Protein backbone atom coordinates (compact mmCIF):
# COMPACT_ATOMS: atom_id res chain seq x y z
CA UNK A 1 0.00 0.00 0.00
CA UNK A 2 1.26 3.53 -0.81
CA UNK A 3 2.40 5.80 2.01
CA UNK A 4 0.89 9.16 2.85
CA UNK A 5 2.96 12.33 3.32
CA UNK A 6 1.12 15.39 4.66
CA UNK A 7 2.08 18.78 6.07
CA UNK A 8 0.24 21.96 7.01
CA UNK A 9 1.40 25.58 6.77
CA UNK A 10 0.13 29.04 7.76
CA UNK A 11 -0.78 31.54 5.03
CA UNK A 12 -0.32 35.30 5.37
CA UNK A 13 -1.60 36.13 1.84
CA UNK A 14 -4.42 33.72 1.07
CA UNK A 15 -5.48 35.30 -2.24
CA UNK A 16 -1.92 35.36 -3.54
CA UNK A 17 -1.46 31.72 -2.61
CA UNK A 18 -4.75 30.72 -4.28
CA UNK A 19 -3.64 32.45 -7.45
CA UNK A 20 -0.31 30.62 -7.27
CA UNK A 21 -1.86 27.13 -7.01
CA UNK A 22 -4.67 27.74 -9.54
CA UNK A 23 -3.12 29.88 -12.27
CA UNK A 24 -2.17 27.76 -15.34
CA UNK A 25 0.45 30.37 -16.25
CA UNK A 26 2.20 29.73 -12.92
CA UNK A 27 1.61 25.97 -12.76
CA UNK A 28 2.77 24.06 -15.82
CA UNK A 29 1.31 20.76 -14.58
CA UNK A 30 -2.05 21.83 -13.13
CA UNK A 31 -4.52 18.94 -13.48
CA UNK A 32 -7.59 20.23 -11.64
CA UNK A 33 -8.74 23.13 -9.47
CA UNK A 34 -11.88 23.85 -7.45
CA UNK A 35 -12.94 26.44 -4.86
CA UNK A 36 -16.05 26.49 -2.69
CA UNK A 37 -16.37 30.30 -2.70
CA UNK A 38 -15.55 33.10 -5.13
CA UNK A 39 -12.70 35.61 -5.02
CA UNK A 40 -14.85 38.24 -3.29
CA UNK A 41 -15.43 35.94 -0.35
CA UNK A 42 -11.75 34.99 -0.13
CA UNK A 43 -11.01 38.72 -0.03
CA UNK A 44 -13.66 39.14 2.68
CA UNK A 45 -12.00 36.36 4.69
CA UNK A 46 -8.60 38.03 4.37
CA UNK A 47 -10.09 41.39 5.40
CA UNK A 48 -11.87 39.91 8.42
CA UNK A 49 -8.72 38.19 9.60
CA UNK A 50 -6.68 41.36 9.11
CA UNK A 51 -9.19 43.41 11.08
CA UNK A 52 -9.30 40.84 13.85
CA UNK A 53 -5.52 40.79 13.96
CA UNK A 54 -5.36 44.60 14.22
CA UNK A 55 -7.89 44.59 17.05
CA UNK A 56 -6.25 41.76 18.96
CA UNK A 57 -3.72 43.23 21.33
CA UNK A 58 -2.10 39.83 21.86
CA UNK A 59 -1.24 39.57 18.16
CA UNK A 60 -1.81 35.83 17.87
CA UNK A 61 0.21 35.03 14.76
CA UNK A 62 3.44 33.65 13.40
CA UNK A 63 6.35 36.14 13.36
CA UNK A 64 3.98 39.06 13.92
CA UNK A 65 1.96 38.36 10.76
CA UNK A 66 -1.76 37.80 10.41
CA UNK A 67 -2.74 34.23 9.57
CA UNK A 68 -5.37 34.55 6.83
CA UNK A 69 -5.81 30.81 6.18
CA UNK A 70 -3.95 27.50 6.32
CA UNK A 71 -2.78 25.09 3.65
CA UNK A 72 -2.48 21.33 3.59
CA UNK A 73 -0.14 19.72 1.07
CA UNK A 74 -0.32 15.98 0.66
CA UNK A 75 1.09 13.55 -1.85
CA UNK A 76 -0.83 10.96 -3.84
CA UNK A 77 0.07 7.74 -5.65
CA UNK A 78 0.46 8.30 -9.39
CA UNK A 79 -2.66 6.26 -10.17
CA UNK A 80 -4.80 9.17 -8.92
CA UNK A 81 -3.78 11.22 -11.97
CA UNK A 82 -6.06 9.08 -14.18
CA UNK A 83 -9.17 10.96 -13.02
CA UNK A 84 -8.04 14.23 -11.41
CA UNK A 85 -11.44 15.93 -11.33
CA UNK A 86 -13.01 13.04 -9.42
CA UNK A 87 -10.17 12.90 -6.92
CA UNK A 88 -10.23 16.64 -6.30
CA UNK A 89 -14.01 16.74 -5.93
CA UNK A 90 -13.80 13.91 -3.42
CA UNK A 91 -11.26 15.83 -1.35
CA UNK A 92 -13.13 19.16 -1.49
CA UNK A 93 -16.56 17.66 -0.73
CA UNK A 94 -15.11 15.63 2.12
CA UNK A 95 -13.47 18.72 3.64
CA UNK A 96 -16.73 20.71 3.57
CA UNK A 97 -18.77 17.85 4.98
CA UNK A 98 -16.25 16.96 7.70
CA UNK A 99 -14.74 20.28 8.80
CA UNK A 100 -17.46 22.74 7.65
CA UNK A 101 -15.25 25.55 6.34
CA UNK A 102 -14.57 26.74 2.80
CA UNK A 103 -11.56 25.63 0.82
CA UNK A 104 -9.73 25.91 -2.49
CA UNK A 105 -7.82 22.91 -3.81
CA UNK A 106 -5.53 22.18 -6.75
CA UNK A 107 -4.06 18.91 -8.00
CA UNK A 108 -0.54 19.18 -9.48
CA UNK A 109 2.39 17.25 -10.79
CA UNK A 110 5.81 18.61 -9.90
CA UNK A 111 8.15 19.67 -12.72
CA UNK A 112 9.56 16.16 -13.25
CA UNK A 113 6.16 14.44 -12.89
CA UNK A 114 7.48 12.29 -10.06
CA UNK A 115 5.35 13.83 -7.32
CA UNK A 116 1.56 14.05 -7.61
CA UNK A 117 0.16 16.25 -4.87
CA UNK A 118 -2.79 18.34 -3.70
CA UNK A 119 -2.73 21.84 -2.23
CA UNK A 120 -5.82 22.41 -0.05
CA UNK A 121 -6.20 25.96 1.29
CA UNK A 122 -8.87 26.31 3.94
CA UNK A 123 -10.57 28.95 6.06
CA UNK A 124 -10.24 28.62 9.81
CA UNK A 125 -13.66 30.29 10.20
CA UNK A 126 -17.06 28.92 9.22
CA UNK A 127 -19.04 31.12 6.83
CA UNK A 128 -22.28 32.71 8.04
CA UNK A 129 -25.59 32.29 6.25
CA UNK A 130 -25.98 34.85 3.46
CA UNK A 131 -28.95 36.57 5.14
CA UNK A 132 -26.70 37.47 8.10
CA UNK A 133 -24.18 39.33 5.91
CA UNK A 134 -24.38 43.00 4.90
CA UNK A 135 -23.01 44.08 1.51
CA UNK A 136 -21.60 47.43 0.39
CA UNK A 137 -23.90 49.61 -1.74
CA UNK A 138 -20.89 51.73 -2.78
CA UNK A 139 -17.11 51.66 -2.48
CA UNK A 140 -15.89 52.14 1.10
CA UNK A 141 -12.39 53.32 2.03
CA UNK A 142 -10.30 52.53 5.12
CA UNK A 143 -6.86 53.45 6.46
CA UNK A 144 -4.20 50.99 7.67
CA UNK A 145 -6.08 50.53 10.98
CA UNK A 146 -9.39 49.86 9.19
CA UNK A 147 -10.92 53.22 10.09
CA UNK A 148 -13.11 54.94 7.50
CA UNK A 149 -11.24 57.60 5.51
CA UNK A 150 -11.19 59.52 2.24
CA UNK A 151 -10.40 57.73 -1.01
CA UNK A 152 -7.05 59.52 -1.33
CA UNK A 153 -5.90 58.22 2.07
CA UNK A 154 -7.22 54.69 1.70
CA UNK A 155 -5.10 51.60 2.28
CA UNK A 156 -8.01 49.15 2.14
CA UNK A 157 -11.06 49.28 -0.12
CA UNK A 158 -14.33 47.36 0.14
CA UNK A 159 -15.94 47.57 -3.29
CA UNK A 160 -19.62 47.77 -4.06
CA UNK A 161 -21.21 44.34 -3.64
CA UNK A 162 -18.56 43.02 -1.24
CA UNK A 163 -19.39 42.16 2.41
CA UNK A 164 -19.17 45.04 4.89
CA UNK A 165 -20.08 43.02 7.99
CA UNK A 166 -17.96 40.01 8.98
CA UNK A 167 -19.21 37.16 6.75
CA UNK A 168 -17.47 34.50 8.83
CA UNK A 169 -17.80 33.37 12.43
CA UNK A 170 -16.12 35.56 15.04
CA UNK A 171 -14.03 32.67 16.37
CA UNK A 172 -11.69 30.46 14.40
CA UNK A 173 -12.00 26.68 14.72
CA UNK A 174 -9.52 26.01 17.51
CA UNK A 175 -8.62 22.48 16.51
CA UNK A 176 -7.08 23.66 13.21
CA UNK A 177 -3.99 24.96 15.00
CA UNK A 178 -3.65 21.90 17.23
CA UNK A 179 -0.74 19.53 16.69
CA UNK A 180 -2.86 16.77 18.22
CA UNK A 181 -5.58 17.35 15.60
CA UNK A 182 -3.01 17.18 12.82
CA UNK A 183 -1.27 14.04 14.03
CA UNK A 184 -4.15 12.06 15.53
CA UNK A 185 -7.11 13.06 13.36
CA UNK A 186 -6.27 14.75 10.07
CA UNK A 187 -3.50 12.40 8.96
CA UNK A 188 -5.55 9.34 9.89
CA UNK A 189 -8.59 10.79 8.12
CA UNK A 190 -6.86 11.31 4.77
CA UNK A 191 -4.98 8.04 4.97
CA UNK A 192 -8.33 6.29 5.40
CA UNK A 193 -10.33 8.01 2.64
CA UNK A 194 -7.49 7.72 0.13
CA UNK A 195 -6.54 4.17 1.06
CA UNK A 196 -2.98 5.04 2.11
CA UNK A 197 -0.68 4.03 4.92
CA UNK A 198 0.31 6.86 7.23
CA UNK A 199 3.87 8.11 7.00
CA UNK A 200 5.54 7.85 10.39
CA UNK A 201 8.66 9.87 11.12
CA UNK A 202 10.17 6.96 13.00
CA UNK A 203 8.92 4.44 10.45
CA UNK A 204 10.73 2.55 7.73
CA UNK A 205 10.09 5.04 4.90
CA UNK A 206 12.02 8.24 4.14
CA UNK A 207 10.33 11.46 2.99
CA UNK A 208 11.47 13.13 -0.21
CA UNK A 209 12.66 16.73 -0.35
CA UNK A 210 10.79 19.42 -2.28
CA UNK A 211 12.42 21.35 -5.12
CA UNK A 212 11.41 24.91 -5.94
CA UNK A 213 11.13 26.63 -9.29
CA UNK A 214 13.62 29.36 -8.45
CA UNK A 215 16.03 27.18 -6.49
CA UNK A 216 19.74 27.00 -7.31
CA UNK A 217 20.01 24.55 -10.23
CA UNK A 218 22.83 22.50 -8.76
CA UNK A 219 21.03 22.12 -5.42
CA UNK A 220 17.78 21.22 -7.17
CA UNK A 221 19.56 18.57 -9.24
CA UNK A 222 21.13 17.06 -6.09
CA UNK A 223 17.70 16.89 -4.48
CA UNK A 224 16.19 15.23 -7.56
CA UNK A 225 18.96 12.65 -7.64
CA UNK A 226 18.56 11.97 -3.93
CA UNK A 227 14.79 11.71 -4.28
CA UNK A 228 15.26 9.03 -6.93
CA UNK A 229 17.38 7.04 -4.48
CA UNK A 230 14.73 7.57 -1.78
CA UNK A 231 11.94 6.37 -4.09
CA UNK A 232 13.89 3.21 -4.84
CA UNK A 233 14.63 2.73 -1.14
CA UNK A 234 10.96 3.15 -0.18
CA UNK A 235 9.85 0.82 -2.98
CA UNK A 236 12.23 -1.84 -1.68
CA UNK A 237 10.69 -1.43 1.78
CA UNK A 238 7.17 -1.72 0.32
CA UNK A 239 8.14 -4.84 -1.64
CA UNK A 240 9.55 -6.47 1.49
CA UNK A 241 6.42 -5.64 3.49
CA UNK A 242 4.20 -7.00 0.72
CA UNK A 243 6.08 -10.28 0.98
CA UNK A 244 5.21 -10.36 4.70
CA UNK A 245 8.70 -9.69 6.01
CA UNK A 246 8.20 -8.81 9.68
CA UNK A 247 8.61 -5.09 10.36
CA UNK A 248 10.94 -5.68 13.31
CA UNK A 249 13.19 -7.91 11.19
CA UNK A 250 13.13 -5.38 8.35
CA UNK A 251 13.98 -2.52 10.70
CA UNK A 252 17.25 -4.19 11.72
CA UNK A 253 18.26 -4.11 8.06
CA UNK A 254 16.81 -0.72 7.11
CA UNK A 255 17.81 1.46 10.05
CA UNK A 256 21.58 1.33 9.40
CA UNK A 257 20.91 2.35 5.77
CA UNK A 258 18.57 5.28 6.48
CA UNK A 259 21.30 7.72 7.50
CA UNK A 260 23.15 7.24 4.22
CA UNK A 261 19.97 7.69 2.17
CA UNK A 262 18.22 10.45 4.17
CA UNK A 263 18.40 14.05 2.81
CA UNK A 264 21.36 16.07 4.09
Amino acid sequence: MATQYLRITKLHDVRGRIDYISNPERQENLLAYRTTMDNKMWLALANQNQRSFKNNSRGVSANGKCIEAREIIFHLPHRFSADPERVLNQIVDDWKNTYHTDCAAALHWNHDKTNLHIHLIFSERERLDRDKIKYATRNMYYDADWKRCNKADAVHVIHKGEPTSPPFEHAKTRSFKSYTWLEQELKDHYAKILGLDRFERDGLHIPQQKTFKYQNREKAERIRENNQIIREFNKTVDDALSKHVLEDDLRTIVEPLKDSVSPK
Side-chain angles (χ1 to χ4, degrees), residues 68-225:
E68 294 185 353
R70 293 179 186 256
E71 177 181 6
I72 303 168
I73 302 175
F74 49 96
H75 305 282
L76 298 174
H78 293 186
R79 66 177 184 274
F80 284 90
S81 65
D83 194 351
E85 295 285 350
R86 184 191 64 79
V87 173
L88 198 67
N89 285 333
Q90 177 188 7
I91 294 296
V92 170
D93 291 340
D94 174 80
W95 178 269
K96 282 285 289 182
N97 292 333
T98 305
Y99 299 110
H100 313 298
T101 70
D102 287 280
C103 65
L107 180 61
H108 296 160
W109 281 111
N110 66 334
H111 176 74
D112 300 322
K113 293 191 175 182
T114 56
N115 176 5
L116 184 68
H117 58 281
I118 285 179
H119 298 259
L120 188 145
I121 293 171
F122 66 92
S123 167
E124 296 176 277
R125 304 176 191 269
E126 291 189 35
R127 192 171 11 152
L128 298 173
D129 293 336
R130 185 176 177 83
D131 59 5
K132 296 180 181 179
I133 305 171
K134 296 180 180 179
Y135 293 86
T137 57
R138 58 188 176 87
N139 289 352
M140 302 173 69
Y141 304 99
Y142 299 83
D143 63 17
D145 294 320
W146 284 97
K147 295 179 180 178
R148 292 290 296 274
C149 67
N150 296 324
K151 180 178 180 179
D153 301 321
V155 175
H156 306 287
V157 180
I158 293 180
H159 296 92
K160 181 179 179 180
E162 294 176 351
T164 58
S165 64
F168 298 86
E169 292 286 355
H170 174 71
K172 293 183 176 182
T173 302
R174 295 184 63 181
S175 61
F176 290 157
K177 59 182 179 181
S178 165
Y179 181 78
T180 300
W181 172 75
L182 170 64
E183 290 296 325
Q184 296 184 9
E185 180 179 337
L186 188 68
K187 289 184 176 181
D188 284 343
H189 179 74
Y190 279 120
K192 181 178 180 180
I193 66 172
L194 294 171
L196 304 174
D197 283 334
R198 272 196 54 169
F199 172 76
E200 302 292 348
R201 293 189 180 277
D202 60 348
L204 298 172
H205 296 85
I206 301 173
Q208 297 181 49
Q209 281 184 298
K210 181 177 177 58
T211 58
F212 301 92
K213 289 185 178 180
Y214 307 109
Q215 196 170 41
N216 175 277
R217 288 187 178 181
E218 291 184 2
K219 182 176 181 180
E221 183 58 31
R222 288 198 301 272
I223 291 174
R224 282 193 286 269
E225 291 174 355

Side-chain angles (χ1 to χ4, degrees), residues 46-60:
N47 287 343
Q48 182 171 336
N49 282 321
Q50 290 290 348
R51 286 184 179 184
S52 177
F53 177 73
K54 288 285 186 181
N55 293 332
N56 189 339
S57 60
R58 292 174 299 170
V60 179

Side-chain angles (χ1 to χ4, degrees), residues 18 35-44 102 127 130:
I18 287 174
T35 179
T36 62
M37 61 183 183
D38 61 24
N39 288 335
K40 287 184 178 180
M41 292 306 296
W42 283 110
L43 173 61
D102 287 280
R127 192 171 11 152
R130 185 176 177 83

Side-chain angles (χ1 to χ4, degrees), residues 205-263:
H205 296 85
I206 301 173
Q208 297 181 49
Q209 281 184 298
K210 181 177 177 58
T211 58
F212 301 92
K213 289 185 178 180
Y214 307 109
Q215 196 170 41
N216 175 277
R217 288 187 178 181
E218 291 184 2
K219 182 176 181 180
E221 183 58 31
R222 288 198 301 272
I223 291 174
R224 282 193 286 269
E225 291 174 355
N226 202 53
N227 283 344
Q228 179 60 36
I229 296 172
I230 290 172
R231 285 193 293 274
E232 293 172 359
F233 179 92
N234 288 340
K235 185 178 184 303
T236 300
V237 171
D238 288 337
D239 290 344
L241 291 172
S242 70
K243 295 175 182 177
H244 307 294
V245 176
L246 293 177
E247 185 170 332
D248 288 344
D249 293 340
L250 188 58
R251 189 178 296 276
T252 61
I253 301 171
V254 166
E255 287 297 337
L257 300 175
K258 287 180 71 174
D259 286 340
S260 62
V261 179
S262 297

